Amino acid sequence: MTMKEKKKTGFFQSTAGFTVVSIFLGLFIGGIILKIAGFNPFTAYWVIIKGVVSKPKYVAYTLVSATPLILTGLSVAFAFRTGLFNIGAEGQFIIGALVAGLTGYFWHLPPVIHVIVVIIVAGSAAAAWGGLSGYLKAKFGVNEVISTIMLNWIAFYLSNWIVGLPGIAKEVGVNVTNNIQDTARIDILGVWKRTDEGIEYLTEHPFFFDLLRAPVNLGFLFAILLVILIWFILNRTTLGYELRAVGFNKHAAEYGGINVKKSIIISMAISGALAGLAGTFHVLGNSMKVANLAGMEGAGFDGIAVALIGNTTAAGSVFGGLLFGILKYGGTKIQNELGAPTEIINIIIGTIVFFIAMPKFIKILYSIKLKKGGNQNAE
Amino acid sequence: MLNSIAFLIGTTLLYSAPLIYTALGGVISENAGVVNIGLEGMMVLGAFTAATVGYFTGNPWFAFLMAGAAGASIALFHAIACVTYTADHVISGIAINFLGPGIALFVSTIVFEGATMTIPLSLDDKIPRPLNEVFAQNSFFDIILNQYATVYLAFILVAAVWFLLYKTRFGLRIRSVGEHPRAADTLGINVIGIKYIAVLLSGMFAGFGGAAMSIAVVSNFRPTLISGQGFIALAAMIFGKWRPFGAMWACLLFGFAQGLVVFLGGKDTIAVSSQVWAMLPYIITLVILIGVVGKSEAPSADGVPFEK
């Protein structure tokens, strides 16, 4: 590609266009692999679509599974904008979940206030956890990739240690915390749906009955609000301008009077808070408790893919998170209905990200198409 | 007491080996200027391939080599993306980290009839222990030195990779490609070719690392078997300043941490604090990194796409 080459315009020449082509290629290659393994790819994709939209409950489950992905994706995307690679969303998620689980159970506060307090405290803890990586980079030049990997494991063992402590564990030897107080829950009608009145109402209203079988909660709504907030910060505030300037060219930003070190710390703190809130909402709306982790759960790593699919923008994270959530939740259905391995989803996601990594390849793909088209016209 | 020390040293060596292979893979690739964050995915594929081939052939060394081949094959995609299509190395690596486990578990579900776990190998089909029955059973030296051959091989390869990188013409080319590809190109070195070979080698090593886990440390593959070791190896490589011996020492530190968890986990009285012990090496790494600031330098053109 030379500079002289005429800049082509149009959707398919844009980054979003490349992403769409990458998604298509990912689904196409996933289909070929399914075919080779002896499954009908069209049936498989149909099962996924049906498994996501055919019942209110399915839609709710899909949104619930997309919620943490949107937030960890937003977290990674935000850091990317400042030129930082936050591979530590996983650990920040764990910290946010842990603090939410503890403050949700041990503190006794009125409804609503309890939720707000837990969100603030857990979000701050995760911000500190992420900000630490920023501080280490700004102050000591420690590569954030390595410091966040270390902090992921520290968070992992810290959480497992704390949930096993006497007084915190539900029972001795059972490494699970107690359920959070009802005042801290953000699930919708979660308590009511198990009362006699609730059961009676729901048996008469099949739509709500079905819908509420999923852990419907406010997490998705909060996630969307945070996406809007982050978009606003990045694009409409001085802070956002400075953070993006640092990501664009650190030296130019510094020359322009921007405090680069401060920007790095702030960016990592905000990024950490977002990933932490993914964990917080997961606990307050879905799991209600924190359990011993056998291995990394992957919300943070999935967030990296979400951010990339979303072109590392705030709004893109919603799109990436939903796509990932649909594939992830819908993908569980192909196992039951077709016996096709759910793992095809990771192959599809991996393939999509792989093509997103190389726009140059897609451009070459276009040029082949154009040549063919040209020949046809000549004939 | 003496046996406890021996046990700790022994488990440290055992758990370090998979990390060492993988970190060496990282060292080779990044010295040639290709960032390889996909080590984890390559390792998973290697671990699965070794366990599966080992189960069907009963030949652990063939399984080990096939794991290397599997790692190299998926690394080929990384090379195509990063070297030929000048992709962002980190993004391509992230893709590999989805593809490796995805392919491994997909194939596992088909081959092992719905199971994401492979069927365990019998003891005879695992990697052999060359020094088995040389020392009295459970004696001090037996506990330390009666290791799987993959453990010894890992340390031999550290020296081999060091020799390759710093004492051979090919190694000089690898490093020149990572430091200043344009200069290397001017001198007639095949930059693209060298990068391809380096990335394939790194995949092979990561595959070996996975095999050292699945057919030596344990005897089968399961989804949680490789959970983060590839990233730890990556950190070890950075910690070890992109050099084979440096990476080896860092891997030993992380291996020691895992050994410590196993050691303390076996003791009821302090079982709770094993989690705290497990955190230590990561904290130590952070502290040391703060101390060595400025001295840890990646190859200058690491992660920079090369276009002629």
Side-chain angles (χ1 to χ4, degrees):
Chain A
M1 296 292 133
T2 56
M3 294 288 280
K4 281 174 210 160
E5 195 168 308
K6 232 187 196 175
K7 209 178 168 189
K8 289 168 191 156
T9 46
F11 176 72
F12 284 102
Q13 299 294 340
S14 68
T15 319
F18 290 150
T19 303
V20 170
V21 174
S22 299
I23 292 169
F24 175 75
L25 287 171
L27 292 171
F28 178 70
I29 288 176
I32 291 177
I33 293 172
L34 282 170
K35 184 79 196 157
I36 292 171
F39 303 100
N40 184 336
F42 295 105
T43 323
Y45 288 137
W46 179 240
V47 168
I48 291 179
I49 294 167
K50 224 172 48 179
V52 169
V53 296
S54 64
K55 281 186 186 176
K57 173 176 80 171
Y58 295 162
V59 177
Y61 265 116
T62 305
L63 294 183
V64 167
S65 76
T67 303
L69 299 173
I70 291 172
L71 283 170
T72 52
L74 185 66
S75 158
V76 176
F78 186 82
F80 258 127
R81 288 281 138 178
T82 318
L84 297 164
F85 184 34
N86 180 13
I87 206 166
E90 194 74 36
Q92 295 143 12
F93 180 96
I94 293 173
I95 295 297
L98 176 69
V99 175
L102 296 179
T103 52
Y105 171 71
F106 285 105
W107 291 1
H108 296 269
L109 294 164
V112 184
I113 293 173
H114 198 171
V115 172
I116 294 170
V117 169
V118 169
I119 288 175
I120 290 172
V121 174
S124 307
W129 201 260
L132 180 59
S133 293
Y135 177 76
L136 292 176
K137 185 180 176 96
K139 182 94 180 166
F140 302 103
V142 178
N143 186 323
E144 79 275 14
V145 171
I146 182 168
S147 73
T148 49
I149 291 174
M150 296 300 120
L151 285 167
N152 279 347
W153 288 101
I154 296 170
F156 178 85
Y157 289 114
L158 182 71
S159 177
N160 278 357
W161 175 53
I162 289 177
V163 300
L165 286 176
I168 290 175
K170 202 169 176 180
E171 291 164 46
V172 179
V174 183
N175 294 341
V176 179
T177 62
N178 286 288
N179 273 9
I180 55 169
Q181 307 295 336
D182 288 347
T183 47
R185 291 167 71 128
I186 57 164
D187 54 344
I188 297 166
L189 304 173
V191 180
W192 173 81
K193 73 184 174 189
R194 281 184 188 82
T195 60
D196 290 339
E197 185 198 0
I199 291 167
E200 194 183 333
Y201 179 86
L202 289 177
T203 37
E204 284 165 21
H205 297 78
F207 176 83
F208 291 108
F209 179 70
D210 191 67
L211 182 71
L212 288 178
R213 284 173 72 174
V216 187
N217 66 71
L218 296 174
F220 184 75
L221 191 72
F222 290 163
I224 299 297
L225 290 175
L226 282 167
V227 167
I228 296 167
L229 178 71
I230 290 301
W231 175 85
F232 186 81
I233 290 178
L234 271 178
N235 299 301
R236 292 286 182 272
T237 66
T238 316
L239 173 70
Y241 175 79
E242 289 185 353
L243 295 181
R244 283 187 297 131
V246 172
F248 200 67
N249 187 334
K250 204 161 78 174
H251 304 291
E254 186 145 41
Y255 183 72
I258 294 168
N259 187 339
V260 172
K261 290 184 173 183
K262 200 177 116 197
S263 299
I264 288 172
I265 299 171
I266 291 176
S267 174
M268 280 305 287
I270 294 177
S271 180
L274 292 168
L277 287 176
T280 303
F281 299 152
H282 175 71
V283 169
L284 301 187
N286 193 359
S287 70
M288 309 299 167
K289 57 183 179 289
V290 184
N292 187 62
L293 300 162
M296 289 287 182
E297 305 251 283
F301 293 117
D302 291 349
I304 300 171
V306 168
L308 294 171
I309 292 172
N311 191 24
T312 64
T313 61
S317 301
V318 180
F319 172 74
L322 283 174
L323 177 76
F324 208 143
I326 288 168
L327 288 173
K328 215 175 166 185
Y329 178 69
T332 57
K333 310 277 169 125
I334 59 171
Q335 183 108 40
N336 300 335
E337 288 203 25
L338 300 178
T342 309
E343 285 70 27
I344 189 68
I345 300 306
N346 277 336
I347 298 179
I348 293 171
I349 296 278
T351 312
I352 295 172
V353 174
F354 185 68
F355 283 115
I356 286 176
M358 36 181 205
K360 195 179 166 187
F361 173 82
I362 295 177
K363 279 180 197 156
I364 290 171
L365 215 63
Y366 288 166
S367 67
I368 295 168
K369 262 190 200 164
L370 289 176
K371 269 179 206 159
K372 270 187 185 167
N375 289 341
Q376 276 165 1
N377 287 343
E379 285 162 11
Chain B
M1 181 60 197
L2 212 56
N3 270 10
S4 294
I5 293 172
F7 179 83
L8 257 178
I9 299 173
T11 35
T12 298
L13 295 174
L14 180 68
Y15 283 105
S16 302
L19 300 175
I20 290 175
Y21 286 105
T22 312
L24 284 177
V27 167
I28 297 171
S29 164
E30 304 226 357
N31 270 288
V34 178
V35 171
N36 193 348
I37 211 164
L39 288 171
E40 174 94 1
M42 298 172 186
M43 211 179 165
V44 176
L45 197 64
F48 166 71
T49 308
T52 309
V53 175
Y55 173 73
F56 285 109
T57 64
N59 184 338
W61 286 113
F62 180 66
F64 188 74
L65 289 176
M66 281 299 112
S73 342
I74 197 166
L76 179 63
F77 287 99
H78 190 54
I80 291 171
C82 297
V83 183
T84 304
Y85 291 106
T86 58
D88 185 318
H89 299 188
V90 172
I91 303 182
S92 169
I94 297 288
I96 299 292
N97 285 339
F98 280 95
L99 288 171
I103 295 168
L105 295 174
F106 185 83
V107 177
S108 174
T109 316
I110 289 169
V111 174
F112 293 95
E113 288 160 4
T116 50
M117 262 168 82
T118 64
I119 297 169
L121 303 178
S122 69
L123 228 53
D124 298 336
D125 288 347
K126 287 174 73 171
I127 293 284
R129 300 167 184 250
L131 298 183
N132 199 16
E133 293 173 357
V134 170
F135 305 100
Q137 213 177 0
N138 286 327
S139 66
F140 183 74
F141 288 109
D142 184 56
I143 299 173
I144 295 178
L145 294 174
N146 188 4
Q147 300 279 1
Y148 294 102
T150 42
V151 175
Y152 292 102
L153 185 61
F155 289 95
I156 293 167
L157 284 175
V158 172
V161 170
W162 172 82
F163 187 82
L164 175 83
L165 279 179
Y166 298 101
K167 299 290 166 199
T168 66
R169 185 194 291 245
F170 181 66
L172 182 66
R173 288 186 172 171
I174 290 184
R175 287 185 294 131
S176 70
V177 161
E179 284 292 341
H180 204 313
R182 210 152 289 283
D185 185 50
T186 321
L187 293 172
I189 293 172
N190 181 353
V191 175
I192 305 279
I194 298 271
K195 280 182 184 246
Y196 259 88
I197 294 171
V199 175
L200 290 183
L201 280 175
S202 94
M204 185 183 83
F205 273 82
F208 287 160
M213 220 36 222
S214 68
I215 58 174
V217 176
V218 297
S219 52
N220 73 337
F221 170 81
R222 46 183 178 266
T224 53
L225 181 66
I226 309 293
S227 59
Q229 284 95 329
F231 286 107
I232 296 294
L234 186 78
M237 177 208 68
I238 299 174
F239 194 7
K241 298 177 193 171
W242 288 266
R243 288 161 189 268
F245 279 99
M248 179 194 80
W249 290 114
C251 290
L252 282 169
L253 177 69
F254 292 119
F256 175 69
Q258 280 178 291
L260 205 61
V261 176
V262 174
F263 175 69
L264 295 172
K267 298 189 182 304
D268 291 338
T269 43
I270 40 174
V272 173
S273 62
S274 74
Q275 306 279 359
V276 179
W277 286 110
M279 273 186 254
L280 263 185
Y282 305 108
I283 296 171
I284 292 171
T285 305
L286 279 180
V287 172
I288 294 174
L289 279 172
I290 293 167
V292 296
V293 60
K295 293 173 201 159
S296 183
E297 279 291 338
S300 341
D302 201 9
V304 182
F306 171 74
E307 277 183 286
K308 243 183 171 175

